[in-house]
Amino acid sequence: MDLTGLLAFNVLVGVGTLALITVGLGVIYGMMKIINLAHGEFMMLGAYATYVSTSAGLNIWIAMLVVAPLFVGLVGLVIERTIIRFLYGRMIDTMLATWGLSLGLIGLTTSIFGNDPRGVSTPLHSFAIGRFDASLYGIVIIVVAVAALVGLFAMLRGTRFGLIVRATMQNPNMAAALGVAPPMIYMATFALGAALAGLAGGVLVPISGVSPVMGAAFIAKAFITVLGGGAAIVTGTALASTLFGIINELVSFKSTPVIGEVALLLAAVVMIRVLPQGITGRFLKRSL
């Protein structure tokens, strides 16, 4: 029974982690149709923002929950204004541009911080599940992931800004005819997606560490989850994260984490073969 409780907790943490690393890409790729190959590097910037802030004496909660998303959101805003805004509607070009951007960000951070991995201490200790110990920080990851998804859903569904964003992404010409400035909406949406990636990087840095190449560990999972979720970015991300997170954690528990990663990739291949439009492309088509 104790082992079952520990396994259930690890599954929830795995699902939360997957949702957290995916939600930012869901906004930029799922909504804006920009193939952002620099998503992992946005997470890396959030992790470094947390590391630098805490090293300077800032409270770790403020560093990971406020500084990291704000810093990466501002970086995303600058990148959208200087690079991405010239490439809307050209998916292959955005893919190449963000690939080059990811290489540039890796090179820049390597020049500044070097190749040595850095770390941030976990701010919480462990708690007991029967005769086993589990990290209390896992609960923080679950709570932040749920808050990010619920907050994004509430913003898109219940606010005027969310309505304008959805309308602009569906038909920018019609939105412009109604007085909306699509360039500003695109800029704000890209910055929002970057900020969510920065939040993910900041929250995960106590368990993942930080290095210039850490983004490579997240980018494939993020794209797989977005594709598996389908067109509805919030519902799709939640469903795909739950499915892939359960498969990954259960297989990892029975074998090794490497085999768990392989099982996740195989599950994604099968899903895309069976449901090429993702889960919400076949079911829950009217969800957000």
Side-chain angles (χ1 to χ4, degrees):
M1 189 64 184
D2 297 346
L3 187 59
T4 303
L6 179 64
L7 179 59
F9 178 73
N10 288 338
V11 167
L12 289 176
V13 174
V15 171
T17 302
L18 204 51
L20 199 54
I21 67 175
T22 304
V23 63
L25 186 65
V27 171
I28 293 178
Y29 176 68
M31 291 186 69
M32 304 182 71
K33 306 305 178 190
I34 295 172
I35 303 176
N36 181 24
L37 295 184
H39 177 72
E41 280 62 50
F42 285 175
M43 291 182 60
M44 177 265 291
L45 291 179
Y48 269 110
T50 302
Y51 167 75
V52 171
S53 300
T54 53
S55 298
L58 190 66
N59 181 277
I60 187 172
W61 299 108
I62 297 176
M64 69 172 62
L65 299 176
V66 179
V67 174
L70 281 180
F71 172 70
V72 183
L74 288 174
V75 171
L77 189 149
V78 172
I79 289 172
E80 197 278 342
R81 286 291 86 188
T82 54
I83 300 175
I84 302 299
R85 70 176 176 136
F86 302 106
L87 303 174
Y88 287 125
R90 298 156 57 185
M91 293 186 69
I92 300 300
D93 292 346
T94 60
M95 182 179 68
L96 294 174
T98 54
W99 179 55
L101 177 64
S102 71
L103 296 178
L105 291 175
I106 291 172
L108 180 62
T109 51
T110 301
S111 299
I112 297 173
F113 297 100
N115 284 318
D116 297 335
R118 313 294 174 92
V120 174
S121 300
T122 306
L124 298 174
H125 299 294
S126 60
F127 69 103
I129 300 179
R131 54 194 171 91
F132 298 104
D133 288 334
S135 173
L136 200 58
Y137 193 72
I139 297 177
V140 174
I141 293 175
I142 297 170
V143 170
V144 174
V146 172
L149 289 174
V150 172
L152 181 61
F153 183 88
M155 187 273 288
L156 292 175
R157 176 70 74 182
T159 67
R160 176 178 171 79
F161 175 72
L163 178 65
I164 292 174
V165 167
R166 287 188 287 136
T168 303
M169 297 306 153
Q170 291 182 8
N171 194 330
N173 293 328
M174 180 62 74
L178 295 174
V180 174
M184 295 298 104
I185 300 301
Y186 282 128
M187 179 187 68
T189 306
F190 191 89
L192 172 64
L196 289 170
L199 174 67
V203 171
L204 294 179
V205 68
I207 62 172
S208 68
V210 55
S211 69
V213 295
M214 64 176 289
F218 301 110
I219 185 69
K221 288 183 181 177
F223 267 104
I224 285 171
T225 307
V226 168
L227 292 174
I233 59 169
V234 179
T235 307
T237 297
L239 292 174
S241 298
T242 302
L243 176 62
F244 295 150
I246 290 174
I247 292 173
N248 188 14
E249 293 299 326
L250 290 181
V251 175
S252 297
F253 175 75
K254 284 292 185 181
S255 55
T256 66
V258 174
I259 301 299
E261 300 281 340
V262 173
L264 189 154
L265 292 174
L266 290 176
V269 170
V270 172
M271 169 171 284
I272 293 173
R273 180 68 179 86
V274 176
L275 301 173
Q277 301 301 318
I279 299 173
T280 56
R282 176 70 178 272
F283 310 101
L284 303 171
K285 292 182 178 179
R286 299 178 66 85
S287 60
L288 182 61

